Amino acid sequence: MKRFLGFIKKEFLHIFRDYRTLIILFGIPAAQILIFGYAISMDLKNAGIGILDLSKDELSQELSAKLVSSDFFRETGQLESYNEIDGLFKAGKTKAVFIIGENFGDRIISEGKAPLMIIADGSEPNTATLVTNYAMAIINDFSRELNNQDISMAIQPEIRMFYNPELRSHFMFVPGVITLILILICALMTSVTITREKEFGTMEVLLVSPLRPVQIILGKVVPYFLLSLVNVILILLLSWLVFDLPVKGSIILLLGESMLYILMSLTLGILISTVSSSMQQAIFISLIGLMLPTILLSGFIFPIENMPGIYNYVSMVLPPRYFIVIIKNIMIKGQGLGYVWKETLIIILMTLVFIFLSMKKFKTRLE
């Protein structure tokens, strides 16, 4: 029995001395419960809205104030004409625009109804549905308050969806799937391929060959670059032929941005390979470190503005957050480089940082 207890004690000591095992046992569950508990939220919070008040009377301003004062919405712009609506949506900060028709207050008092329209950004179907539902609840509450003041009324706003009139879910998951597939395939396969050479001892053989280290790395990543580009084209063709989801913007710009994102993912994979001592470790870092954050914190499924502030800052270091914005703006909204240049610049900077860190770590490992 003493031998058995001693063996158990030895296993405990091995576990406590291995920080990687402790991270798997305690760190990952704690991180997942925090991420799933706070990041995954179907509640609406701080959704950007614009208001076009064509009446500007007492009741219209009261309704506007009621919408903005709630915790669900924040005002991103006071519009003066219909021509400003498209630009407000293209800026990317606005989820819906409320248009209050002319003579709003007078028509409520005289007719018991008033002209009101809600235009939501249908490129994110889940968020658009939440925005309209929460807005209807606020408007109904506004109607009840007026009824208590002996003003008989019922507001039934007209609801329209920009970019995705039928609220088809394909508009959400196709850009997200492209983003997820590219970063996983590129980073995972590149890191595993290079780590496998080191683990099997063949990296030294390659290094003493006539090829330079840079040529070796390029030879490893070029096939995945080309195959990933074929993946993008295949997904775009399937989304067009099967789901009737065309590319509204420039296909050349979309492919160019995709190649930039693929290059960034490949450099990230190289960086992962430099800090990994085995294929299992590279797979673990790539899958756990990339897949869950991409799904949960990039805005793929759950709006970032609904999350606590700390998760907004965490998502800022995730490349998928910026590529999802790029691909949605080009593919669904038909925008050009002028609307996605900031996100493009961020991905370029991330690529350069990953290249610098990879070269530094790779030289260190060689020494």
Side-chain angles (χ1 to χ4, degrees):
M1 190 64 180
K2 287 184 178 180
R3 293 179 179 176
F4 179 67
L5 293 177
F7 180 73
I8 293 176
K9 181 180 179 181
K10 178 186 74 69
E11 290 301 313
F12 269 111
L13 291 176
H14 276 301
I15 292 173
F16 291 143
R17 289 171 181 171
D18 187 357
Y19 71 93
R20 289 172 294 188
T21 303
L22 293 176
I23 290 175
I24 295 174
L25 285 174
F26 301 108
I28 292 178
Q32 286 184 339
I33 194 64
L34 290 174
I35 292 175
F36 278 81
Y38 288 104
I40 300 179
S41 175
M42 297 307 295
D43 299 326
L44 190 70
K45 187 177 181 181
N46 294 324
I49 61 170
I51 298 177
L52 175 57
D53 188 353
L54 300 175
S55 181
K56 298 186 184 299
D57 55 34
E58 183 179 352
L59 288 180
S60 68
Q61 292 178 1
E62 185 178 341
L63 176 58
S64 300
K66 193 172 185 64
L67 289 168
V68 175
S69 63
S70 69
D71 293 333
F72 310 125
F73 303 120
R74 58 180 176 84
E75 189 174 1
T76 55
Q78 277 282 356
L79 308 181
E80 298 296 332
S81 68
Y82 289 98
N83 297 330
E84 300 176 30
I85 295 177
D86 185 56
L88 193 63
F89 275 123
K90 286 184 176 180
K93 303 296 183 182
T94 302
K95 304 300 181 183
V97 171
F98 294 82
I99 302 176
I100 303 175
E102 297 178 349
N103 303 318
F104 184 81
D106 294 339
R107 293 185 62 176
I108 285 179
I109 297 174
S110 61
E111 303 175 16
K113 59 182 181 179
L116 179 63
M117 179 184 294
I118 303 174
I119 302 178
D121 183 354
S123 63
E124 300 178 9
N126 292 342
T127 303
T129 302
L130 284 174
V131 167
T132 53
N133 289 341
Y134 276 71
M136 286 299 302
I138 295 175
I139 292 169
N140 290 335
D141 185 57
F142 177 73
S143 300
R144 284 193 295 270
E145 291 179 0
L146 291 181
N147 289 331
N148 292 335
Q149 299 174 16
D150 297 329
I151 301 176
S152 179
M153 66 160 295
I155 301 178
Q156 291 295 329
E158 181 182 355
I159 299 176
R160 294 184 181 180
M161 297 292 170
F162 255 35
Y163 310 118
N164 183 12
E166 300 175 2
L167 284 183
R168 292 186 295 173
S169 60
H170 313 134
F171 284 70
M172 178 185 72
F173 79 75
V174 169
V177 166
I178 293 176
T179 303
L180 180 62
I181 287 177
L182 289 183
I183 196 167
L184 282 183
I185 289 181
C186 297
L188 175 62
M189 297 308 297
T190 304
S191 62
V192 169
T193 300
I194 298 177
T195 308
R196 181 176 57 199
E197 299 286 357
K198 294 190 296 184
E199 188 174 358
F200 291 169
T202 54
M203 180 60 76
E204 287 78 5
V205 177
L206 292 174
L207 290 175
V208 297
S209 68
L211 294 174
R212 297 179 180 178
V214 174
Q215 293 174 320
I216 295 173
I217 299 298
L218 288 177
K220 290 287 185 182
V221 303
V222 166
Y224 292 110
F225 180 87
L226 298 176
L227 292 175
S228 298
L229 184 59
V230 172
N231 257 332
V232 173
I233 297 173
L234 180 61
I235 294 173
L236 293 177
L237 284 174
L238 287 175
S239 63
W240 174 47
L241 297 174
V242 178
F243 302 115
D244 193 26
L245 182 59
V247 177
K248 295 184 178 179
S250 170
I251 186 67
I252 302 299
L253 177 60
L254 180 58
L255 291 177
E257 295 283 358
S258 299
M259 287 190 286
L260 173 61
Y261 184 67
I262 291 170
L263 179 62
M264 183 279 306
S265 301
L266 291 172
T267 58
L268 178 57
I270 297 172
L271 179 60
I272 293 174
S273 72
T274 62
V275 299
S276 303
S277 57
S278 65
M279 288 189 294
Q280 289 80 4
Q281 189 176 359
I283 293 172
F284 177 80
I285 294 175
S286 299
L287 289 180
I288 302 299
L290 295 177
M291 185 169 67
L292 282 179
T294 299
I295 294 175
L296 300 178
L297 300 178
S298 65
F300 170 20
I301 299 176
F302 307 101
I304 295 175
E305 57 266 18
N306 292 3
M307 305 175 189
I310 187 172
Y311 290 100
N312 184 30
Y313 293 112
V314 171
S315 68
M316 287 181 178
V317 300
L318 300 177
R321 167 176 177 167
Y322 305 102
F323 187 67
I324 284 181
V325 174
I326 291 173
I327 196 170
K328 281 187 175 181
N329 285 348
I330 297 175
M331 189 174 180
I332 298 175
K333 299 182 180 181
Q335 298 175 358
L337 183 61
Y339 290 94
V340 297
W341 68 269
K342 292 181 181 178
E343 290 78 11
T344 303
L345 183 59
I346 291 174
I347 293 180
I348 292 174
L349 292 176
M350 286 184 171
T351 304
L352 296 176
V353 170
F354 293 153
I355 291 175
F356 172 77
L357 294 176
S358 299
M359 292 175 62
K360 189 173 181 180
K361 295 289 290 185
F362 190 70
K363 288 181 180 179
T364 303
R365 292 298 294 266
L366 288 180
E367 294 172 356

